[in-house]
Amino acid sequence: MTSLAFDLPQKDGRACAVRVAVPPGLMPADGWPVAYVLDLKQFEAMCADPLGLPGLLVGLGPAVPEDRRWDYVPAAWGASGRVANGTDDAAPGLRSGAARWLRILDRVRARVAGDWRLDPRRQVLCGHSLGALFALYVLTHRPRAFEGYVLSSPSVWWGDRYAARLLRRRRAWLCARGLPALGMRLSVGEYEQGLAPEERGAGLTDDERARRLGMRQARAMVDGMRELAGVLAACPGLRLESVVLPGRTHRTAPLDALMPGWRWLLAGA
């Protein structure tokens, strides 16, 4: 596997960090299948998959990873998922949100397409957590921008359950505009709405255990993923898979979500 790294400078002085991994062997006759994954941490984990890469993998994210709290969400919202006001702690350059990041993604794609021949029928967008929330934003605003979407543990709690409201509001338009040809895979870890076995032992105080359980139950990640899947299932003709990943937490869920999701989409091509 060969790799390339570059930074894409932005007008506000920040940068988008980009990493590209190319699998060994000959390029397919139709060009490389490609997956774009939000966040370099997830890119590195996908590169380490023991089965190897099924195509070109592009990782991208803010050069300062914490900026994803603003870059991946709609403008005028703070990092906590509440409507921003005069006390919002985001710098002015961070307040333009997901619409701006989608334009950055377009620039990354143009650069990658200029350097490699890509299969236009097998281009996928992957995201975990807030990255999956951004991928949902792309789906509901430009559904055919990608032929497939992999959403791992989308932040369904964010913005007073913004994701479900957005999807319900845009579903009819989405179905009429054109669904992604490869389909969509949604997943969440089994323990994202409760405690993992290691958290039930003596390693945590009762107060900390109660705090974690209360937060996860309030966020309702498993229920929220199922709600999104239910709305999407009403889209005629959409190839959809929704999975609760056994034994996985929010931190470990991407291991069974992103690469398996990419392969599942390609298997149906």
Side-chain angles (χ1 to χ4, degrees):
M1 179 178 68
T2 59
S3 61
L4 172 73
F6 63 91
D7 287 346
L8 198 66
Q10 307 305 312
K11 292 180 179 178
D12 62 5
R14 298 187 300 138
C16 171
V18 184
R19 306 290 183 267
V20 184
V22 186
L26 296 175
M27 179 182 67
D30 294 330
W32 288 113
V34 59
Y36 296 82
V37 60
L38 299 148
D39 297 330
L40 300 186
K41 179 180 177 181
Q42 305 306 337
F43 168 81
E44 291 167 0
M46 293 174 76
C47 285
D49 189 279
L51 296 180
L53 297 178
L56 197 77
L57 180 65
V58 181
L60 68 150
V64 178
E66 292 78 12
D67 287 354
R68 67 200 296 275
R69 298 175 296 161
W70 292 278
D71 285 328
Y72 290 177
V73 301
W77 292 76
S80 64
R82 296 183 174 88
V83 176
N85 54 35
T87 62
D88 184 20
D89 57 347
L94 293 173
R95 291 180 182 153
S96 50
R100 172 184 174 276
W101 195 258
L102 180 50
R103 293 192 293 272
I104 293 171
L105 176 57
D106 287 339
R107 290 178 58 197
V108 172
R109 295 182 74 185
R111 167 78 179 265
V112 171
D115 291 338
W116 289 274
R117 186 153 62 92
L118 306 175
D119 187 341
R121 301 166 302 166
R122 297 192 292 170
Q123 303 203 13
V124 170
L125 181 61
C126 306
H128 173 70
S129 195
L130 284 176
L133 185 67
F134 174 78
L136 184 68
Y137 176 91
V138 177
L139 174 76
T140 53
H141 288 78
R142 269 207 259 149
R144 298 302 291 272
F146 294 88
E147 284 62 51
Y149 292 81
V150 180
L151 273 61
S152 167
S153 306
S155 298
V156 295
W157 54 270
W158 186 92
D160 297 325
R161 314 202 79 74
Y162 162 85
R165 296 198 312 275
L166 172 68
L167 191 54
R168 286 194 299 268
R169 187 172 71 246
R170 304 284 285 182
R171 188 189 66 81
W173 177 90
L174 175 63
C175 294
R177 186 63 178 262
L179 298 167
L182 294 179
M184 186 170 185
R185 190 179 193 263
L186 276 165
S187 60
V188 68
E190 175 187 5
Y191 298 124
E192 294 196 53
Q193 200 165 314
L195 295 175
E198 61 270 20
E199 295 175 303
R200 300 187 185 120
L204 296 176
T205 65
D206 289 344
D207 286 347
E208 175 61 16
R209 192 176 295 111
R211 186 194 69 80
R212 293 187 186 188
L213 180 60
M215 180 188 70
R216 291 174 194 167
Q217 288 179 338
R219 289 187 169 187
M221 291 283 285
V222 175
D223 291 345
M225 187 281 288
R226 287 172 170 156
E227 181 181 8
L228 296 184
V231 176
L232 288 164
C235 295
L238 176 64
R239 180 173 174 249
L240 173 69
E241 182 175 63
S242 59
V243 184
V244 177
L245 302 170
R248 292 302 189 184
T249 64
H250 190 72
R251 182 179 61 82
T252 62
L255 296 172
D256 289 342
L258 296 177
M259 283 297 285
W262 185 15
R263 291 194 178 97
W264 179 80
L265 290 172
L266 293 180

